[in-house]
Amino acid sequence: MAEQQTLNPNTVKILPWIVAVSFFMQMLDTTIMNTALPSIAKDLNESPLGMQSVVICYMLTVAFIMPVSGWVADRFGVRNVFIFANAVFVLGSLLSALSPTLMALVLSRIVQGIGGAFLMPVGRLAVLKVFPRSQLTDVLSFISVPALMGPLIGPTLGGFLAQYASWHWIFLINIPVGIVACLASMRYMPALKVSGLARFDWSGFLLIGAAILSGTLGIEASTDLHLPLAYTLPLVVFSLAMLALYVFHAHRAPFPLFDLKVFKIRSFSVGILGNIFARLASGVMPFMTPLLLQVGLGFTPSKAGLLLMPAALMSIAGKKLVSPLLKRMGFRLFLCINTLLVGVLLSLYSTITAETPVWLLILQFSAFGIVNSMQFTAMFSLPLIDLPAEYASSGNSILSVVTQLSMGLGVGVGAAVLAFFAGPQGSGQSIDAFHKAYLCIGLFGIAAAAIFLFIPKDTGRISIESAAGE
């Protein structure tokens, strides 16, 4: 059972900020590396083609460790684990900045990934346990925006730092942020331990870990290493086999790592499925839009970065609309309509040409920023809004793993579709290939709206009505 304690009165004010800042730091670090890899390779006297190991080792570490976050937080306390995560992330950042060789940088990124694996799930678990369901949508909306902005501005910021400062600052900027998060967590984050916790499910962890590790490696090998399907498909098949074995194991184990009974809650199961398929569409944007602007339209990295800023800024405005609209429309109607809008706006990217005026680009990017922010926030809240306390850790860990994998899948889908329309001659540098890819992905996004038709009508109703009466 959960440990009872008196909360600091300032916790409800400060905790969302602590979690939001840590989310931003972790999500920014996931994407900031890509544009700086050539500069790092030059400084370390390495081939740029061999630098993807710096990105992949981080992603694999996060994916492998993230499933244990819920059990570890319940066992050692949310506050202790969150402070540990920030401290290890800061240490990994410092070691990365001081790395004299590629191998040292890879090892440092693994350390950083250990901290990053706990930041998002444990931070969200703290919010889930502290705030009543009537406030959950608003709080999740607040903390999700930095997580949404990180991938949008990461590539641009990485390019600016590498060009005008030094690649070392990609890691050094994390240090003061992480230190402040540690100090604030010590004072304002509750411990929230669980007494009488069952022993750790090592068999389940190894099965889930093998599934996630092989699946992530297959995605990364396809997108970043550009390996053929003959090499990546066996990894995906092995991942699915391990996942099937875990399902069999979870039905037999007395205390499985992830309690599959959580999937009997319809809002959770539909929410997880919706997160996977809807993110496959919108998840391509941080990857494909910078390519469209720089490769398809010939813009400089700085100009492309400035044009992407409206989407990041308007995502802040979009979050303020989510709670009122959910109170009026409910989760089912809201997500069906908004998912359609995301798909339509994605399809409209296929109309962008070199003759498109800048004001229209800004308008289009801003509109997508608003609806994508609302989509992200609502999907973030849906699986958790009706989750009973006893399933909080399992449900939150599953959502964290799905979110992490969906990010990679989104990039993988974007890369695969663009490569398909580019053809064997590499004509993907033509604007026509981008147009076809955006249209295809947009139609897929529109189709994803059908999943949300299965959301129960009364999902979050108690929480919404309670919030409306406050």
Side-chain angles (χ1 to χ4, degrees), residues 120 189 273 317 403 454-455 461:
M120 181 176 289
M189 183 170 282
L273 193 63
T403 301
F454 295 93
I455 299 174
R461 180 58 55 194

Side-chain angles (χ1 to χ4, degrees), residues 280-281 284-285 287-288 292 346-347 349-350 413-422 428 430-445:
L280 287 181
V284 308
M285 299 304 283
F287 161 76
M288 211 155 74
L292 168 69
L346 274 170
S347 300
Y349 274 64
S350 64
V413 168
V417 173
L418 188 59
F420 175 79
F421 289 116
S430 71
I431 194 68
D432 182 62
F434 282 99
H435 286 171
K436 292 177 180 177
Y438 273 115
L439 186 60
C440 180
I441 293 167
L443 292 174
F444 181 82

Side-chain angles (χ1 to χ4, degrees), residues 8-202:
N8 186 317
N10 289 322
T11 291
V12 293
K13 298 178 182 178
I14 305 299
L15 179 59
W17 282 97
I18 298 173
V19 176
V21 169
S22 297
F23 272 27
F24 178 75
M25 183 173 65
Q26 196 268 341
M27 294 298 290
L28 180 69
D29 205 77
T30 302
T31 56
I32 197 173
M33 287 288 300
N34 292 317
T35 50
L37 287 180
S39 298
I40 300 175
K42 183 178 179 181
D43 196 47
L44 298 181
N45 296 316
E46 296 284 346
S47 168
L49 298 178
M51 293 301 295
Q52 288 299 334
S53 58
V54 176
V55 176
I56 292 174
C57 69
Y58 178 85
M59 296 290 290
L60 291 178
T61 303
V62 171
F64 183 71
I65 296 178
M66 190 175 278
V68 309
S69 59
W71 188 92
V72 172
D74 284 344
R75 172 65 177 82
F76 297 101
V78 169
R79 179 176 59 208
N80 293 336
V81 176
F82 195 72
I83 292 171
F84 165 82
N86 274 283
V88 172
F89 193 86
V90 167
L91 175 63
S93 299
L94 178 61
L95 292 175
S96 296
L98 298 176
S99 297
T101 64
L102 175 59
M103 179 56 66
L105 182 57
V106 167
L107 294 175
S108 299
R109 288 282 284 172
I110 291 174
V111 173
Q112 202 179 23
I114 294 172
F118 290 100
L119 282 178
M120 181 176 289
V122 176
R124 186 167 53 208
L125 184 61
V127 167
L128 191 59
K129 291 190 173 186
V130 166
F131 290 89
R133 292 297 186 269
S134 60
Q135 299 177 23
L136 194 58
T137 300
D138 288 333
V139 178
L140 289 176
S141 174
F142 178 82
I143 67 175
S144 67
V145 169
L148 180 66
M149 291 177 63
L152 290 175
I153 69 174
T156 304
L157 181 59
F160 270 106
L161 289 174
Q163 183 176 350
Y164 297 109
S166 166
W167 65 266
H168 304 84
W169 284 100
I170 290 174
F171 303 106
L172 293 175
I173 59 174
N174 294 327
I175 295 176
V177 177
I179 291 174
V180 170
C182 284
L183 295 175
S185 299
M186 291 177 186
R187 181 168 184 179
Y188 297 109
M189 183 170 282
L192 298 174
K193 292 182 181 180
V194 174
S195 59
L197 195 65
R199 65 182 182 179
F200 186 70
D201 179 19
W202 283 104

Side-chain angles (χ1 to χ4, degrees), residues 132-138 322-334 378 381-382 385-386 455-470:
R133 292 297 186 269
S134 60
Q135 299 177 23
L136 194 58
T137 300
D138 288 333
V322 177
S323 188
L325 288 173
L326 284 176
K327 291 171 186 175
R328 178 179 293 271
M329 303 169 65
F331 275 92
R332 184 165 71 177
L333 182 59
F334 174 84
S381 304
L382 175 60
I385 195 69
D386 289 332
I455 299 174
K457 286 184 178 181
D458 60 345
T459 294
R461 180 58 55 194
I462 296 176
S463 303
I464 293 171
E465 289 176 352
S466 298
E470 290 178 353

Side-chain angles (χ1 to χ4, degrees), residues 30 59 63 211-212 214-224 232-233 235-237 239-240 243 272-288 400-418 441 444:
T30 302
M59 296 290 290
I212 294 173
S214 56
T216 304
L217 187 58
I219 295 167
E220 294 296 320
S222 175
T223 57
D224 290 335
T232 60
L233 185 59
L235 288 170
V236 176
V237 172
S239 175
L240 294 174
L243 191 61
I272 291 295
L273 193 63
N275 266 271
I276 293 173
F277 284 93
R279 287 174 188 270
L280 287 181
S282 60
V284 308
M285 299 304 283
F287 161 76
M288 211 155 74
S400 298
V401 170
V402 166
T403 301
Q404 184 70 23
L405 291 177
S406 296
M407 288 171 53
L409 283 172
V411 174
V413 168
V417 173
L418 188 59
I441 293 167
F444 181 82

